[in-house]
């Protein structure tokens, strides 16, 4: 199998890069095109803002990814079985049409982990391309009909996944536990609802550490029980999830998430996951056995207090969470293989 993999491959902890690694294991031969520079240009940000205001402005292609795709398609001695485009918000419809003419047997796949039915995740480039993809892979079960209304031909729902070579239990040093760990921890961007939950815990005497930076910095030194740190990447991300006694998993209300990549990453890393209760979370993990779910701030506080004082039960849930991730095939390798097998 030959695959052309297109996506943002800049950061080691980037899930797009992790999926690319999984595709490398599935393919006999793979080429790649990076769609993103480390620093987003001013022009890109301006175009993104104008699009969010309702204007049909396309995003600029800062890495000449469209040109690179065409060149590879034109010069490849062996035709691609799959052109896999991971959140192709800078990929143009003209590029997809070129692929269809040059290599009509190639399956053009769009994979998006974000809610692409919402404008803040879209681009005009992406909207123009929707009818040209052979398959759309979405991790949002609640937007399948929306994608069809936008012109998608075939939509496949897939749960998110973890990278087994990056998200796994490590031997953690005492210094790592001090540097990255804590009683209760969260890694991620600021959002109103999750901030309110964390403040509620801190106000009620729970020690919480947040790695996120940005707007989180407004809450530094607000409570002695709340510690705000900058964002973390690379292996520190996985080590922190394992080092927290309780790792919080909040869902983005802006995206109407029912689960997220952390839903798999936290248990896979050997972390104790306390997550918002949703129908998808309850399908993925057994509550109070493989993870712990909450439906309100009051329940979150109650369960934090309980499990902080019951380490033996935490360890058992951690163990069962790791087993569930492996047995249910939540890894990138197994998840992407299921997707590819259903398409080819």
């Amino acid at each position: 199998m030959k695959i052309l993999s297109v996506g943002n491959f800049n950061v080691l902890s980037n899930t797009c890069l992790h999926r690319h690694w999984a595709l490398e294991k599935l393919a006999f031969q793979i080429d790649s095109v990076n769609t993103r520079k480390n620093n987003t240009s001013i022009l890109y940000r301006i175009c993104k803002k104008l699009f969010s205001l309702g204007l049909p402005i396309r995003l600029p292609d800062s890495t000449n990814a469209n040109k690179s795709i065409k060149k590879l398609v034109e010069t490849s001695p062996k035709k691609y079985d799959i052109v896999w485009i991971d959140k192709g918000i800078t990929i143009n419809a003209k590029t997809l049409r070129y692929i269809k003419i040059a290599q009509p047997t190639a399956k053009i796949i769009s994979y998006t982990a974000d809610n692409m039915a919402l404008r803040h995740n879209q681009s005009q480039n992406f909207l123009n391309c929707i009818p040209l993809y052979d398959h759309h892979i979405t991790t949002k079960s609640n937007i399948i009909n929306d994608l069809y209304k936008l012109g998608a031909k075939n939509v496949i729902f897939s749960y998110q996944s973890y990278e087994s070579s990056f998200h796994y239990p490590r031997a953690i040093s005492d210094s790592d536990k001090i540097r990255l760990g804590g009683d209760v921890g969260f890694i991620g961007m600021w959002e109103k609802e999750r901030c309110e939950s964390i403040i509620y815990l801190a106000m009620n005497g729970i020690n919480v550490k947040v790695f996120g930076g940005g707007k989180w910095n407004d809450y530094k030194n607000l409570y002695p029980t709340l510690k705000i740190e900058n964002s973390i990447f690379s292996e520190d991300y996985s080590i922190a999830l394992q080092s927290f006694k309780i790792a919080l998993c909040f869902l983005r209300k802006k995206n109407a998430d029912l689960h997220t990549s952390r839903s798999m990453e936290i248990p896979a890393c050997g972390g104790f996951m306390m997550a918002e209760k949703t129908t998808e979370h309850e399908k993925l993990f057994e509550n109070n056995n493989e993870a712990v779910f909450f439906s309100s701030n009051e329940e979150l506080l109650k369960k934090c207090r309980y499990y902080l004082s019951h380490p033996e039960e935490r360890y058992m849930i951690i163990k069962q969470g790791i087993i569930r991730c492996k047995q249910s095939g939540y890894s990138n390798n197994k998840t992407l293989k299921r997707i590819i097998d259903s398409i080819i």
Side-chain angles (χ1 to χ4, degrees), residues 162-165 167-169 263-264 267-270 284-285 290 318-335 338:
Y162 71 94
E163 175 50 47
S164 55
S165 65
H167 305 114
Y168 62 89
S263 304
M264 281 71 168
C269 285
L284 291 165
F285 297 97
E290 298 163 339
I318 289 170
K319 182 179 177 180
Q320 292 302 118
I322 294 170
I323 292 172
R324 179 63 184 269
C325 285
K326 292 179 178 179
Q327 290 185 346
S328 294
Y330 295 157
S331 68
N332 281 326
N333 291 350
K334 292 186 178 180
T335 299
R338 285 194 296 270

PDB file of all heavy atoms in Angstrom, residues 162-165 167-169 263-264 267-270 284-285 290 318-335 338:
ATOM      1  N   TYR A 162      -4.945   7.003  20.897  1.00  0.00           N
ATOM      2  CA  TYR A 162      -3.692   7.406  21.543  1.00  0.00           C
ATOM      3  C   TYR A 162      -2.519   6.783  20.796  1.00  0.00           C
ATOM      4  O   TYR A 162      -2.672   5.789  20.082  1.00  0.00           O
ATOM      5  CB  TYR A 162      -3.669   6.981  23.020  1.00  0.00           C
ATOM      6  CG  TYR A 162      -3.517   5.488  23.240  1.00  0.00           C
ATOM      7  CD1 TYR A 162      -2.264   4.920  23.452  1.00  0.00           C
ATOM      8  CD2 TYR A 162      -4.620   4.633  23.224  1.00  0.00           C
ATOM      9  CE1 TYR A 162      -2.118   3.546  23.641  1.00  0.00           C
ATOM     10  CE2 TYR A 162      -4.485   3.275  23.420  1.00  0.00           C
ATOM     11  CZ  TYR A 162      -3.235   2.734  23.625  1.00  0.00           C
ATOM     12  OH  TYR A 162      -3.092   1.381  23.808  1.00  0.00           O
ATOM     13  N   GLU A 163      -1.345   7.372  20.975  1.00  0.00           N
ATOM     14  CA  GLU A 163      -0.140   6.866  20.315  1.00  0.00           C
ATOM     15  C   GLU A 163       0.652   5.991  21.300  1.00  0.00           C
ATOM     16  O   GLU A 163       1.188   6.482  22.283  1.00  0.00           O
ATOM     17  CB  GLU A 163       0.719   8.034  19.825  1.00  0.00           C
ATOM     18  CG  GLU A 163       2.054   7.636  19.219  1.00  0.00           C
ATOM     19  CD  GLU A 163       1.922   6.553  18.166  1.00  0.00           C
ATOM     20  OE1 GLU A 163       1.038   6.663  17.270  1.00  0.00           O
ATOM     21  OE2 GLU A 163       2.705   5.577  18.245  1.00  0.00           O
ATOM     22  N   SER A 164       0.694   4.693  21.015  1.00  0.00           N
ATOM     23  CA  SER A 164       1.288   3.738  21.967  1.00  0.00           C
ATOM     24  C   SER A 164       2.786   3.955  22.169  1.00  0.00           C
ATOM     25  O   SER A 164       3.326   3.544  23.205  1.00  0.00           O
ATOM     26  CB  SER A 164       1.025   2.303  21.499  1.00  0.00           C
ATOM     27  OG  SER A 164       1.495   2.105  20.177  1.00  0.00           O
ATOM     28  N   SER A 165       3.462   4.595  21.222  1.00  0.00           N
ATOM     29  CA  SER A 165       4.898   4.858  21.380  1.00  0.00           C
ATOM     30  C   SER A 165       5.160   6.168  22.118  1.00  0.00           C
ATOM     31  O   SER A 165       6.313   6.511  22.394  1.00  0.00           O
ATOM     32  CB  SER A 165       5.586   4.892  20.011  1.00  0.00           C
ATOM     33  OG  SER A 165       5.119   5.988  19.238  1.00  0.00           O
ATOM     34  N   HIS A 167       2.225   7.672  24.388  1.00  0.00           N
ATOM     35  CA  HIS A 167       1.356   7.637  25.571  1.00  0.00           C
ATOM     36  C   HIS A 167       1.433   6.253  26.207  1.00  0.00           C
ATOM     37  O   HIS A 167       0.723   5.333  25.802  1.00  0.00           O
ATOM     38  CB  HIS A 167      -0.091   7.953  25.183  1.00  0.00           C
ATOM     39  CG  HIS A 167      -0.249   9.260  24.458  1.00  0.00           C
ATOM     40  ND1 HIS A 167      -0.646   9.344  23.146  1.00  0.00           N
ATOM     41  CD2 HIS A 167      -0.046  10.535  24.880  1.00  0.00           C
ATOM     42  CE1 HIS A 167      -0.697  10.616  22.774  1.00  0.00           C
ATOM     43  NE2 HIS A 167      -0.328  11.361  23.809  1.00  0.00           N
ATOM     44  N   TYR A 168       2.289   6.114  27.185  1.00  0.00           N
ATOM     45  CA  TYR A 168       2.456   4.842  27.882  1.00  0.00           C
ATOM     46  C   TYR A 168       3.019   5.107  29.277  1.00  0.00           C
ATOM     47  O   TYR A 168       3.649   6.147  29.511  1.00  0.00           O
ATOM     48  CB  TYR A 168       3.377   3.905  27.098  1.00  0.00           C
ATOM     49  CG  TYR A 168       4.786   4.429  26.916  1.00  0.00           C
ATOM     50  CD1 TYR A 168       5.784   4.173  27.863  1.00  0.00           C
ATOM     51  CD2 TYR A 168       5.131   5.186  25.803  1.00  0.00           C
ATOM     52  CE1 TYR A 168       7.070   4.650  27.710  1.00  0.00           C
ATOM     53  CE2 TYR A 168       6.411   5.672  25.638  1.00  0.00           C
ATOM     54  CZ  TYR A 168       7.382   5.405  26.588  1.00  0.00           C
ATOM     55  OH  TYR A 168       8.653   5.904  26.424  1.00  0.00           O
ATOM     56  N   PRO A 169       2.818   4.196  30.241  1.00  0.00           N
ATOM     57  CA  PRO A 169       3.348   4.406  31.595  1.00  0.00           C
ATOM     58  C   PRO A 169       4.871   4.369  31.606  1.00  0.00           C
ATOM     59  O   PRO A 169       5.486   3.483  31.027  1.00  0.00           O
ATOM     60  CB  PRO A 169       2.759   3.219  32.383  1.00  0.00           C
ATOM     61  CG  PRO A 169       1.605   2.746  31.565  1.00  0.00           C
ATOM     62  CD  PRO A 169       1.980   2.996  30.139  1.00  0.00           C
ATOM     63  N   SER A 263      -9.251  11.499  26.442  1.00  0.00           N
ATOM     64  CA  SER A 263     -10.055  10.396  26.970  1.00  0.00           C
ATOM     65  C   SER A 263      -9.310   9.076  26.842  1.00  0.00           C
ATOM     66  O   SER A 263      -9.500   8.172  27.658  1.00  0.00           O
ATOM     67  CB  SER A 263     -11.389  10.311  26.215  1.00  0.00           C
ATOM     68  OG  SER A 263     -12.092  11.528  26.275  1.00  0.00           O
ATOM     69  N   MET A 264      -8.476   8.950  25.820  1.00  0.00           N
ATOM     70  CA  MET A 264      -7.658   7.767  25.642  1.00  0.00           C
ATOM     71  C   MET A 264      -6.249   7.968  26.184  1.00  0.00           C
ATOM     72  O   MET A 264      -5.643   7.073  26.756  1.00  0.00           O
ATOM     73  CB  MET A 264      -7.559   7.383  24.159  1.00  0.00           C
ATOM     74  CG  MET A 264      -8.765   6.657  23.625  1.00  0.00           C
ATOM     75  SD  MET A 264     -10.179   7.745  23.480  1.00  0.00           S
ATOM     76  CE  MET A 264     -11.255   6.717  22.508  1.00  0.00           C
ATOM     77  N   PRO A 267      -5.678   7.443  30.374  1.00  0.00           N
ATOM     78  CA  PRO A 267      -5.537   6.052  30.833  1.00  0.00           C
ATOM     79  C   PRO A 267      -4.351   5.337  30.200  1.00  0.00           C
ATOM     80  O   PRO A 267      -3.676   4.547  30.878  1.00  0.00           O
ATOM     81  CB  PRO A 267      -6.865   5.403  30.405  1.00  0.00           C
ATOM     82  CG  PRO A 267      -7.816   6.530  30.230  1.00  0.00           C
ATOM     83  CD  PRO A 267      -6.991   7.676  29.737  1.00  0.00           C
ATOM     84  N   ALA A 268      -4.086   5.607  28.921  1.00  0.00           N
ATOM     85  CA  ALA A 268      -2.974   4.931  28.244  1.00  0.00           C
ATOM     86  C   ALA A 268      -1.634   5.285  28.876  1.00  0.00           C
ATOM     87  O   ALA A 268      -0.708   4.457  28.897  1.00  0.00           O
ATOM     88  CB  ALA A 268      -2.966   5.286  26.764  1.00  0.00           C
ATOM     89  N   CYS A 269      -1.518   6.509  29.401  1.00  0.00           N
ATOM     90  CA  CYS A 269      -0.278   6.939  30.055  1.00  0.00           C
ATOM     91  C   CYS A 269      -0.133   6.372  31.467  1.00  0.00           C
ATOM     92  O   CYS A 269       0.908   6.557  32.111  1.00  0.00           O
ATOM     93  CB  CYS A 269      -0.217   8.467  30.126  1.00  0.00           C
ATOM     94  SG  CYS A 269       0.156   9.260  28.556  1.00  0.00           S
ATOM     95  N   GLY A 270      -1.169   5.726  31.966  1.00  0.00           N
ATOM     96  CA  GLY A 270      -1.139   5.257  33.344  1.00  0.00           C
ATOM     97  C   GLY A 270      -1.623   6.324  34.309  1.00  0.00           C
ATOM     98  O   GLY A 270      -1.247   6.335  35.485  1.00  0.00           O
ATOM     99  N   LEU A 284     -16.778   4.032  26.283  1.00  0.00           N
ATOM    100  CA  LEU A 284     -15.335   3.794  26.178  1.00  0.00           C
ATOM    101  C   LEU A 284     -14.746   3.165  27.435  1.00  0.00           C
ATOM    102  O   LEU A 284     -13.845   2.325  27.351  1.00  0.00           O
ATOM    103  CB  LEU A 284     -14.615   5.116  25.884  1.00  0.00           C
ATOM    104  CG  LEU A 284     -14.857   5.716  24.497  1.00  0.00           C
ATOM    105  CD1 LEU A 284     -14.410   7.167  24.452  1.00  0.00           C
ATOM    106  CD2 LEU A 284     -14.121   4.895  23.446  1.00  0.00           C
ATOM    107  N   PHE A 285     -15.242   3.569  28.609  1.00  0.00           N
ATOM    108  CA  PHE A 285     -14.691   3.085  29.879  1.00  0.00           C
ATOM    109  C   PHE A 285     -15.816   2.832  30.878  1.00  0.00           C
ATOM    110  O   PHE A 285     -16.814   3.567  30.899  1.00  0.00           O
ATOM    111  CB  PHE A 285     -13.710   4.106  30.475  1.00  0.00           C
ATOM    112  CG  PHE A 285     -12.498   4.362  29.622  1.00  0.00           C
ATOM    113  CD1 PHE A 285     -12.456   5.451  28.763  1.00  0.00           C
ATOM    114  CD2 PHE A 285     -11.408   3.506  29.661  1.00  0.00           C
ATOM    115  CE1 PHE A 285     -11.347   5.693  27.972  1.00  0.00           C
ATOM    116  CE2 PHE A 285     -10.295   3.737  28.879  1.00  0.00           C
ATOM    117  CZ  PHE A 285     -10.267   4.825  28.030  1.00  0.00           C
ATOM    118  N   GLU A 290     -12.702   1.636  35.335  1.00  0.00           N
ATOM    119  CA  GLU A 290     -11.625   1.926  34.386  1.00  0.00           C
ATOM    120  C   GLU A 290     -11.343   3.424  34.285  1.00  0.00           C
ATOM    121  O   GLU A 290     -10.307   3.835  33.768  1.00  0.00           O
ATOM    122  CB  GLU A 290     -11.998   1.378  33.008  1.00  0.00           C
ATOM    123  CG  GLU A 290     -12.169  -0.143  33.013  1.00  0.00           C
ATOM    124  CD  GLU A 290     -12.910  -0.669  31.805  1.00  0.00           C
ATOM    125  OE1 GLU A 290     -13.634   0.112  31.149  1.00  0.00           O
ATOM    126  OE2 GLU A 290     -12.766  -1.870  31.513  1.00  0.00           O
ATOM    127  N   ILE A 318      -6.491   2.729  37.579  1.00  0.00           N
ATOM    128  CA  ILE A 318      -5.414   2.983  36.602  1.00  0.00           C
ATOM    129  C   ILE A 318      -5.074   1.706  35.848  1.00  0.00           C
ATOM    130  O   ILE A 318      -4.977   1.698  34.606  1.00  0.00           O
ATOM    131  CB  ILE A 318      -4.157   3.534  37.308  1.00  0.00           C
ATOM    132  CG1 ILE A 318      -4.401   4.967  37.781  1.00  0.00           C
ATOM    133  CG2 ILE A 318      -2.944   3.482  36.375  1.00  0.00           C
ATOM    134  CD1 ILE A 318      -3.323   5.513  38.698  1.00  0.00           C
ATOM    135  N   LYS A 319      -4.903   0.632  36.566  1.00  0.00           N
ATOM    136  CA  LYS A 319      -4.555  -0.659  35.957  1.00  0.00           C
ATOM    137  C   LYS A 319      -5.632  -1.105  34.968  1.00  0.00           C
ATOM    138  O   LYS A 319      -5.336  -1.539  33.853  1.00  0.00           O
ATOM    139  CB  LYS A 319      -4.374  -1.705  37.054  1.00  0.00           C
ATOM    140  CG  LYS A 319      -3.972  -3.085  36.554  1.00  0.00           C
ATOM    141  CD  LYS A 319      -3.796  -4.050  37.711  1.00  0.00           C
ATOM    142  CE  LYS A 319      -3.458  -5.454  37.205  1.00  0.00           C
ATOM    143  NZ  LYS A 319      -3.292  -6.408  38.339  1.00  0.00           N
ATOM    144  N   GLN A 320      -6.885  -0.992  35.373  1.00  0.00           N
ATOM    145  CA  GLN A 320      -7.985  -1.413  34.505  1.00  0.00           C
ATOM    146  C   GLN A 320      -8.130  -0.497  33.286  1.00  0.00           C
ATOM    147  O   GLN A 320      -8.500  -0.958  32.197  1.00  0.00           O
ATOM    148  CB  GLN A 320      -9.296  -1.439  35.287  1.00  0.00           C
ATOM    149  CG  GLN A 320      -9.372  -2.518  36.360  1.00  0.00           C
ATOM    150  CD  GLN A 320      -9.169  -3.919  35.780  1.00  0.00           C
ATOM    151  OE1 GLN A 320      -8.234  -4.633  36.118  1.00  0.00           O
ATOM    152  NE2 GLN A 320     -10.071  -4.307  34.876  1.00  0.00           N
ATOM    153  N   GLY A 321      -7.810   0.767  33.462  1.00  0.00           N
ATOM    154  CA  GLY A 321      -7.866   1.702  32.342  1.00  0.00           C
ATOM    155  C   GLY A 321      -6.847   1.370  31.267  1.00  0.00           C
ATOM    156  O   GLY A 321      -7.141   1.446  30.067  1.00  0.00           O
ATOM    157  N   ILE A 322      -5.645   1.006  31.693  1.00  0.00           N
ATOM    158  CA  ILE A 322      -4.598   0.608  30.747  1.00  0.00           C
ATOM    159  C   ILE A 322      -5.032  -0.636  29.981  1.00  0.00           C
ATOM    160  O   ILE A 322      -4.889  -0.718  28.748  1.00  0.00           O
ATOM    161  CB  ILE A 322      -3.271   0.353  31.488  1.00  0.00           C
ATOM    162  CG1 ILE A 322      -2.727   1.649  32.092  1.00  0.00           C
ATOM    163  CG2 ILE A 322      -2.233  -0.263  30.530  1.00  0.00           C
ATOM    164  CD1 ILE A 322      -1.555   1.451  33.034  1.00  0.00           C
ATOM    165  N   ILE A 323      -5.566  -1.603  30.707  1.00  0.00           N
ATOM    166  CA  ILE A 323      -6.021  -2.850  30.071  1.00  0.00           C
ATOM    167  C   ILE A 323      -7.116  -2.560  29.047  1.00  0.00           C
ATOM    168  O   ILE A 323      -7.109  -3.103  27.936  1.00  0.00           O
ATOM    169  CB  ILE A 323      -6.524  -3.846  31.144  1.00  0.00           C
ATOM    170  CG1 ILE A 323      -5.354  -4.332  32.007  1.00  0.00           C
ATOM    171  CG2 ILE A 323      -7.234  -5.031  30.493  1.00  0.00           C
ATOM    172  CD1 ILE A 323      -5.768  -5.152  33.209  1.00  0.00           C
ATOM    173  N   ARG A 324      -8.072  -1.688  29.400  1.00  0.00           N
ATOM    174  CA  ARG A 324      -9.172  -1.381  28.491  1.00  0.00           C
ATOM    175  C   ARG A 324      -8.653  -0.741  27.200  1.00  0.00           C
ATOM    176  O   ARG A 324      -9.126  -1.073  26.092  1.00  0.00           O
ATOM    177  CB  ARG A 324     -10.176  -0.464  29.175  1.00  0.00           C
ATOM    178  CG  ARG A 324     -11.364  -0.069  28.293  1.00  0.00           C
ATOM    179  CD  ARG A 324     -12.208  -1.289  27.904  1.00  0.00           C
ATOM    180  NE  ARG A 324     -13.284  -0.949  27.002  1.00  0.00           N
ATOM    181  CZ  ARG A 324     -14.515  -0.598  27.400  1.00  0.00           C
ATOM    182  NH1 ARG A 324     -14.810  -0.529  28.703  1.00  0.00           N
ATOM    183  NH2 ARG A 324     -15.452  -0.318  26.521  1.00  0.00           N
ATOM    184  N   CYS A 325      -7.699   0.180  27.325  1.00  0.00           N
ATOM    185  CA  CYS A 325      -7.132   0.833  26.138  1.00  0.00           C
ATOM    186  C   CYS A 325      -6.534  -0.189  25.177  1.00  0.00           C
ATOM    187  O   CYS A 325      -6.716  -0.094  23.958  1.00  0.00           O
ATOM    188  CB  CYS A 325      -6.058   1.838  26.550  1.00  0.00           C
ATOM    189  SG  CYS A 325      -6.705   3.377  27.251  1.00  0.00           S
ATOM    190  N   LYS A 326      -5.836  -1.165  25.731  1.00  0.00           N
ATOM    191  CA  LYS A 326      -5.184  -2.169  24.895  1.00  0.00           C
ATOM    192  C   LYS A 326      -6.189  -3.157  24.324  1.00  0.00           C
ATOM    193  O   LYS A 326      -6.181  -3.449  23.119  1.00  0.00           O
ATOM    194  CB  LYS A 326      -4.112  -2.897  25.701  1.00  0.00           C
ATOM    195  CG  LYS A 326      -2.928  -2.017  26.080  1.00  0.00           C
ATOM    196  CD  LYS A 326      -1.895  -2.780  26.900  1.00  0.00           C
ATOM    197  CE  LYS A 326      -0.697  -1.900  27.233  1.00  0.00           C
ATOM    198  NZ  LYS A 326       0.305  -2.630  28.059  1.00  0.00           N
ATOM    199  N   GLN A 327      -7.059  -3.681  25.166  1.00  0.00           N
ATOM    200  CA  GLN A 327      -7.991  -4.713  24.720  1.00  0.00           C
ATOM    201  C   GLN A 327      -9.040  -4.179  23.742  1.00  0.00           C
ATOM    202  O   GLN A 327      -9.489  -4.905  22.843  1.00  0.00           O
ATOM    203  CB  GLN A 327      -8.676  -5.362  25.928  1.00  0.00           C
ATOM    204  CG  GLN A 327      -7.754  -6.233  26.768  1.00  0.00           C
ATOM    205  CD  GLN A 327      -8.468  -6.958  27.886  1.00  0.00           C
ATOM    206  OE1 GLN A 327      -9.612  -6.651  28.225  1.00  0.00           O
ATOM    207  NE2 GLN A 327      -7.802  -7.942  28.479  1.00  0.00           N
ATOM    208  N   SER A 328      -9.429  -2.930  23.890  1.00  0.00           N
ATOM    209  CA  SER A 328     -10.434  -2.352  23.006  1.00  0.00           C
ATOM    210  C   SER A 328      -9.830  -1.718  21.749  1.00  0.00           C
ATOM    211  O   SER A 328     -10.562  -1.204  20.906  1.00  0.00           O
ATOM    212  CB  SER A 328     -11.277  -1.315  23.753  1.00  0.00           C
ATOM    213  OG  SER A 328     -12.054  -1.934  24.763  1.00  0.00           O
ATOM    214  N   GLY A 329      -8.505  -1.742  21.646  1.00  0.00           N
ATOM    215  CA  GLY A 329      -7.852  -1.248  20.430  1.00  0.00           C
ATOM    216  C   GLY A 329      -7.969   0.244  20.230  1.00  0.00           C
ATOM    217  O   GLY A 329      -8.259   0.715  19.129  1.00  0.00           O
ATOM    218  N   TYR A 330      -7.710   1.016  21.298  1.00  0.00           N
ATOM    219  CA  TYR A 330      -7.819   2.457  21.203  1.00  0.00           C
ATOM    220  C   TYR A 330      -6.546   3.125  20.660  1.00  0.00           C
ATOM    221  O   TYR A 330      -6.496   4.352  20.552  1.00  0.00           O
ATOM    222  CB  TYR A 330      -8.134   3.069  22.575  1.00  0.00           C
ATOM    223  CG  TYR A 330      -9.481   2.683  23.147  1.00  0.00           C
ATOM    224  CD1 TYR A 330      -9.717   2.748  24.526  1.00  0.00           C
ATOM    225  CD2 TYR A 330     -10.526   2.265  22.332  1.00  0.00           C
ATOM    226  CE1 TYR A 330     -10.951   2.407  25.062  1.00  0.00           C
ATOM    227  CE2 TYR A 330     -11.761   1.916  22.859  1.00  0.00           C
ATOM    228  CZ  TYR A 330     -11.968   1.990  24.228  1.00  0.00           C
ATOM    229  OH  TYR A 330     -13.194   1.648  24.757  1.00  0.00           O
ATOM    230  N   SER A 331      -5.527   2.357  20.334  1.00  0.00           N
ATOM    231  CA  SER A 331      -4.277   2.931  19.839  1.00  0.00           C
ATOM    232  C   SER A 331      -4.444   3.452  18.417  1.00  0.00           C
ATOM    233  O   SER A 331      -5.354   3.048  17.683  1.00  0.00           O
ATOM    234  CB  SER A 331      -3.155   1.891  19.868  1.00  0.00           C
ATOM    235  OG  SER A 331      -3.404   0.874  18.907  1.00  0.00           O
ATOM    236  N   ASN A 332      -3.546   4.336  18.002  1.00  0.00           N
ATOM    237  CA  ASN A 332      -3.554   4.830  16.626  1.00  0.00           C
ATOM    238  C   ASN A 332      -3.406   3.692  15.625  1.00  0.00           C
ATOM    239  O   ASN A 332      -4.099   3.662  14.605  1.00  0.00           O
ATOM    240  CB  ASN A 332      -2.410   5.831  16.421  1.00  0.00           C
ATOM    241  CG  ASN A 332      -2.732   7.209  16.964  1.00  0.00           C
ATOM    242  OD1 ASN A 332      -3.873   7.648  16.932  1.00  0.00           O
ATOM    243  ND2 ASN A 332      -1.730   7.896  17.459  1.00  0.00           N
ATOM    244  N   ASN A 333      -2.479   2.784  15.912  1.00  0.00           N
ATOM    245  CA  ASN A 333      -2.217   1.689  14.974  1.00  0.00           C
ATOM    246  C   ASN A 333      -3.492   0.893  14.680  1.00  0.00           C
ATOM    247  O   ASN A 333      -3.836   0.648  13.523  1.00  0.00           O
ATOM    248  CB  ASN A 333      -1.149   0.752  15.531  1.00  0.00           C
ATOM    249  CG  ASN A 333       0.226   1.409  15.582  1.00  0.00           C
ATOM    250  OD1 ASN A 333       0.415   2.493  15.034  1.00  0.00           O
ATOM    251  ND2 ASN A 333       1.178   0.769  16.227  1.00  0.00           N
ATOM    252  N   LYS A 334      -4.205   0.504  15.728  1.00  0.00           N
ATOM    253  CA  LYS A 334      -5.395  -0.321  15.539  1.00  0.00           C
ATOM    254  C   LYS A 334      -6.570   0.495  15.009  1.00  0.00           C
ATOM    255  O   LYS A 334      -7.358   0.017  14.186  1.00  0.00           O
ATOM    256  CB  LYS A 334      -5.749  -1.018  16.847  1.00  0.00           C
ATOM    257  CG  LYS A 334      -4.721  -2.067  17.250  1.00  0.00           C
ATOM    258  CD  LYS A 334      -5.145  -2.854  18.478  1.00  0.00           C
ATOM    259  CE  LYS A 334      -4.114  -3.934  18.811  1.00  0.00           C
ATOM    260  NZ  LYS A 334      -4.499  -4.723  20.010  1.00  0.00           N
ATOM    261  N   THR A 335      -6.690   1.733  15.469  1.00  0.00           N
ATOM    262  CA  THR A 335      -7.798   2.576  15.016  1.00  0.00           C
ATOM    263  C   THR A 335      -7.674   2.901  13.532  1.00  0.00           C
ATOM    264  O   THR A 335      -8.643   2.775  12.770  1.00  0.00           O
ATOM    265  CB  THR A 335      -7.851   3.881  15.833  1.00  0.00           C
ATOM    266  OG1 THR A 335      -8.068   3.566  17.214  1.00  0.00           O
ATOM    267  CG2 THR A 335      -8.966   4.788  15.348  1.00  0.00           C
ATOM    268  N   ARG A 338      -8.392  -0.085  11.304  1.00  0.00           N
ATOM    269  CA  ARG A 338      -9.826  -0.313  11.126  1.00  0.00           C
ATOM    270  C   ARG A 338     -10.393   0.628  10.074  1.00  0.00           C
ATOM    271  O   ARG A 338     -11.220   0.244   9.236  1.00  0.00           O
ATOM    272  CB  ARG A 338     -10.561  -0.118  12.459  1.00  0.00           C
ATOM    273  CG  ARG A 338     -10.373  -1.257  13.450  1.00  0.00           C
ATOM    274  CD  ARG A 338     -11.392  -1.160  14.588  1.00  0.00           C
ATOM    275  NE  ARG A 338     -11.226   0.039  15.389  1.00  0.00           N
ATOM    276  CZ  ARG A 338     -10.462   0.135  16.459  1.00  0.00           C
ATOM    277  NH1 ARG A 338      -9.776  -0.927  16.865  1.00  0.00           N
ATOM    278  NH2 ARG A 338     -10.389   1.254  17.149  1.00  0.00           N
TER     279      ARG A 338
END
